[in-house]
């Protein structure tokens, strides 16, 4: 019975990709937990850095402002000449002030999005349901909270993983599979190191929701039409379901189907950086930031390792959506340099982890690794230092 239950939970987690074909929700449309003007501005500024090098118009459109409704004299007060001005990191403060000035426009737009989101949920969810059960990848339960507040119904969430979040976790029913409210912490850390790769396999295969529109009194979701990205997601998920069918066929021969067993193969795939896998992922990019037309790569390309510093190498490789995946410019096959690069990335990652935790590493008289919180402790605890 325990093995069957574990398998059911695993299948339930993978069904996340199916859930959105029944009720698809745009997180930005339904997040109603923002109370003050300052909170609103902070929320809208989250993705500003993705618009550096782009026009003011593109950014304002991403935060629900139709520039056709805005008097150009308003932006001139904040030293912008036109909506086509290119924004940089030096414009953060004046954009923040501009958004405060345009709060009236933003409020009207957000209210419209809130109302159409509510209409969509009411359209898709029967009034007879006393409790709504949702399945999602995780992490804070913000969509669950929003649905609960919009429909005034009890909502129970089943997730691949959940984080600690006192504001949300204190009043919603939510359950994590691989980690629950951040525990086991090691499991959460593993997932968050490769969070975009986990988001990938739990994505809706028909594309994420970017907005809604009303047609013949019916609310229709507008989906991201990135066909190549959606096609790859579908292949991932079809393969996952094939594996599940195989597990079910031979389930009586398994002693255990615990959490670690179910995640092990994918985690190993992510950590091995096999060259052919990385080559395939080089083709994949996404504009996963809602409202942005900027593409993000799952695998970044790096020049020869001896031409850049360790810090720059780590920054570029770690900046891939598949964190640590990289390719060397001009090389078309796996080389010694590539293997050295993989090893270097893992070593640097460990080194930066120690620095972040303020730890020192040394060796005892037997040659075993020993860790200390500071240099003085090391001298006291290891006389041979």
């Amino acid at each position: 019975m325990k093995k069957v239950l574990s398998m059911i939970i695993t299948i339930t987690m993978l069904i996340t990709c199916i859930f959105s074909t029944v009720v698809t929700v745009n997180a930005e449309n339904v997040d109603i937990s923002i109370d003050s003007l300052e909170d609103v501005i902070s929320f809208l500024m989250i993705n500003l850095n993705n618009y550096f090098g782009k026009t003011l118009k593109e950014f304002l459109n991403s935060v629900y402002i139709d520039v056709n409704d805005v008097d150009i004299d308003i932006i001139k007060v904040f030293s912008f000449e036109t909506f086509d001005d290119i924004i940089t990191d030096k414009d953060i403060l004046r954009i923040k002030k501009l958004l405060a000035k345009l709060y009236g426009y933003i409020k009207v737009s957000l209210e419209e999005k809130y109302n159409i989101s509510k209409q969509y949920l009411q359209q898709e969810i029967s009034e007879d349901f006393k409790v709504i059960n949702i399945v999602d990848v995780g992490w804070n339960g913000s969509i669950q909270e929003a649905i609960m507040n919009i429909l005034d119904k009890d909502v129970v969430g089943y997730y691949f993983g959940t984080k600690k979040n006192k504001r949300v976790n204190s009043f919603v029913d939510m359950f994590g599979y691989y980690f629950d409210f951040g525990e086991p912490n090691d499991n959460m850390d593993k997932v968050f190191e490769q969070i975009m790769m986990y988001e990938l396999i739990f994505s809706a295969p028909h594309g994420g929701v970017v907005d809604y529109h009303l047609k013949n009194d019916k609310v229709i979701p507008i989906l991201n039409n990135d066909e190549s990205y959606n096609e790859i997601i579908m292949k991932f998920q079809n393969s996952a379901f094939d594996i599940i069918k195989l597990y079910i066929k031979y389930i009586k021969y398994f002693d255990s189907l615990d959490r670690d067993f179910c995640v092990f193969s994918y985690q190993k795939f992510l950590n091995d950086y096999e060259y052919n896998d990385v080559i395939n992922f080089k083709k994949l990019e996404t504009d996963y930031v809602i409202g942005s037309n900027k593409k993000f790569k799952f695998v970044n390309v790096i020049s020869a390792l001896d031409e850049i510093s360790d810090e720059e190498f780590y920054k570029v490789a770690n900046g891939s959506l598949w964190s640590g995946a990289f390719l060397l410019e001009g090389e078309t096959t796996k080389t010694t340099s590539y293997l050295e690069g993989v090893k270097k990335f893992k070593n640097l990652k460990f080194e930066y982890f120690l620095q972040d935790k303020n730890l020192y590493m040394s060796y005892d008289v037997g040659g075993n690794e020993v860790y200390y919180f500071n240099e003085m402790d090391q001298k006291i605890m290891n006389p041979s230092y």
Side-chain angles (χ1 to χ4, degrees), residues 117-274:
S117 297
K118 182 175 183 179
Q119 185 177 344
Y120 178 70
L121 289 170
Q122 291 172 334
Q123 165 188 295
E124 299 295 322
I125 299 175
S126 171
E127 290 184 4
D128 297 334
F129 292 166
K130 303 300 181 185
V131 177
I132 301 168
N133 296 283
I134 69 170
V135 180
D136 197 3
V137 62
W139 315 99
N140 289 307
S142 55
I143 291 181
Q144 178 181 342
E145 178 194 7
I147 294 174
M148 182 177 68
N149 290 335
I150 290 174
L151 297 180
D152 193 26
K153 290 179 180 288
D154 291 332
V155 181
V156 181
Y158 300 91
Y159 301 95
F160 179 70
T162 59
K163 289 175 62 177
K164 287 181 181 178
N165 185 331
K166 291 181 181 180
R167 183 183 63 80
V168 175
N169 300 160
S170 61
F171 64 87
V172 298
D173 292 323
M174 49 195 298
F175 304 93
Y177 170 62
Y178 191 52
F179 54 93
D180 191 37
F181 295 94
E183 299 294 337
N185 187 258
D186 285 348
N187 289 0
M188 183 177 71
D189 287 346
K190 288 176 186 176
V191 170
F192 280 20
E193 283 176 2
Q194 294 289 358
I195 188 167
M196 289 310 303
M197 294 296 284
Y198 279 93
E199 294 275 3
L200 169 71
I201 62 173
F202 284 99
S203 298
H206 49 58
V209 177
V210 294
D211 212 336
Y212 303 101
H213 73 95
L214 197 60
K215 184 177 181 181
N216 299 327
D217 295 325
K218 184 178 177 66
V219 181
I220 309 295
I222 300 173
L223 306 176
N224 184 320
N225 60 356
D226 190 336
E227 294 182 3
S228 61
Y229 182 76
N230 297 339
E231 181 182 353
I232 290 173
I233 290 171
M234 190 170 293
K235 288 180 179 178
F236 251 89
Q237 293 171 352
N238 286 340
S239 296
F241 283 119
D242 288 341
I243 293 171
I244 289 172
K245 292 174 185 176
L246 192 63
Y247 279 159
I248 292 173
K249 183 177 179 180
Y250 295 102
I251 191 169
K252 64 182 179 181
Y253 300 106
F254 286 97
D255 294 328
S256 172
L257 283 176
D258 61 18
R259 295 173 301 186
D260 293 330
F261 176 86
C262 294
V263 175
F264 173 78
S265 294
Y266 189 56
Q267 194 66 41
K268 184 176 186 301
F269 163 82
L270 295 177
N271 291 334
D272 284 353
Y273 303 110
E274 288 294 337

Side-chain angles (χ1 to χ4, degrees), residues 65-130:
I65 298 174
D66 185 346
V67 297
N68 295 316
D69 297 333
V70 179
D71 190 329
I72 197 168
D73 288 337
I74 294 178
I75 69 169
K76 288 184 176 180
V77 172
F78 301 95
S79 302
F80 291 106
E81 292 299 319
T82 72
F83 290 109
D84 292 322
D85 284 8
I86 301 298
I87 57 178
T88 70
D89 57 352
K90 296 179 181 179
D91 298 320
I92 293 175
L93 182 58
R94 55 185 182 141
I95 287 178
K96 189 173 184 177
K97 292 179 179 178
L98 175 60
L99 290 179
K101 182 69 175 178
L102 297 174
Y103 178 65
Y105 295 91
I106 298 169
K107 185 177 180 181
V108 170
S109 181
L110 289 177
E111 286 175 349
E112 290 174 353
K113 290 184 177 296
Y114 170 83
N115 290 331
I116 198 168
S117 297
K118 182 175 183 179
Q119 185 177 344
Y120 178 70
L121 289 170
Q122 291 172 334
Q123 165 188 295
E124 299 295 322
I125 299 175
S126 171
E127 290 184 4
D128 297 334
F129 292 166
K130 303 300 181 185

